[in-house]
Amino acid sequence: PLAGLLLYSEHLKGKIAGRSPENEVQLVDKIIDTVNHLTSTTEQILNFARPVRLAPREVDLNNVVKNVIQLLSTEICSRQIELLLHLEDPEVPGMLDEASLRAATLNLVLNAIQAMPGGGCLTISTGINEEKLWMVIRDTGLGISPEQIKRIFEPFNTTKSRGLGLGMPYAQKIVQQHGGKILVESQQGKGTEVRVELPAMKGVES
């Protein structure tokens, strides 16, 4: 239905372009923007609800972090955030589903960035030993109350004016399917630390 609405709206815009007042064209633009927003929201809910089929292969966790930072580089610069990377040298290999883990990491890093609207410091560290590999994301942002931490992995629980509150639950879902765990510590006014731990070079649940 949303795809149909978008098609009809774009067709309508083409019909009235150059023939109707500018304010009417802008109204159709708002309809198109709203349909696109609804489509994005629906996709987020579906992606969270549907089962995730992991396709693990040997992946360097450092590369996952670097790819996410590249995607969010504009956001980081625009908010005047200092970025510190402490990545294990030379690599952090694990049997991981790269696409899903990158999406989970993107959510976690974006949360950290959005917690620092006035700027701050974002630190991302990785490491590995014989039993596990890990990634730690720290921000110097607003922090989270103990009550909010208790509910942080509940779907649709959010303090943001926009957003569905699915970022953290999705990240937890992906990490747990890899056989790992995700831990959150925070102090209000001082920042938040999210630690992701994953099995080192072991298979995952499908």
Side-chain angles (χ1 to χ4, degrees), residues 40 100 187-188 199:
S40 176
S100 64
Q187 285 185 281
Q188 288 184 286

Side-chain angles (χ1 to χ4, degrees), residues 144-154 157:
I144 307 169
S145 71
E147 292 76 18
Q148 289 171 332
I149 288 182
K150 290 178 183 177
R151 302 181 59 197
I152 198 168
F153 295 116
E154 292 181 10
N157 173 49

Side-chain angles (χ1 to χ4, degrees), residues 49-106:
R50 64 168 59 101
V52 178
R53 293 187 177 274
L54 302 183
R57 61 183 180 85
E58 187 172 340
V59 172
D60 181 5
L61 185 59
N62 286 347
N63 286 337
V64 173
V65 172
K66 291 174 184 175
N67 288 338
V68 168
I69 292 302
Q70 186 175 16
L71 287 171
L72 296 176
S73 59
T74 301
E75 189 85 6
I76 291 170
C77 291
S78 66
R79 291 175 181 257
Q80 298 182 325
I81 292 172
E82 179 186 5
L83 174 63
L84 301 177
L85 294 180
H86 300 298
L87 307 183
E88 182 82 7
D89 187 33
E91 60 180 17
V92 182
M95 291 301 294
L96 310 170
D97 181 88
E98 186 170 11
S100 64
L101 191 61
R102 183 170 59 244
T105 303
L106 183 70

Side-chain angles (χ1 to χ4, degrees), residues 2 14 29 33 63 89 94 102 104 110 143 156 161 167 172 194:
L2 289 173
D29 281 334
D33 288 344
N63 286 337
D89 187 33
R102 183 170 59 244
L110 190 57
F156 307 109
S161 58
Q172 184 189 51
V194 178

Side-chain angles (χ1 to χ4, degrees), residues 165-177:
L166 291 177
M168 292 299 291
Y170 177 80
Q172 184 189 51
K173 178 180 178 179
I174 296 302
V175 170
Q176 288 181 342
Q177 281 199 256

Side-chain angles (χ1 to χ4, degrees), residues 115-147:
M116 299 182 285
C121 182
L122 171 64
T123 305
I124 304 178
S125 309
T126 61
I128 186 170
N129 57 31
E130 292 182 359
E131 296 182 354
K132 64 186 177 184
L133 50 130
W134 65 86
M135 170 178 60
V136 178
I137 300 168
R138 298 186 187 93
D139 67 67
T140 57
L142 303 174
I144 307 169
S145 71
E147 292 76 18

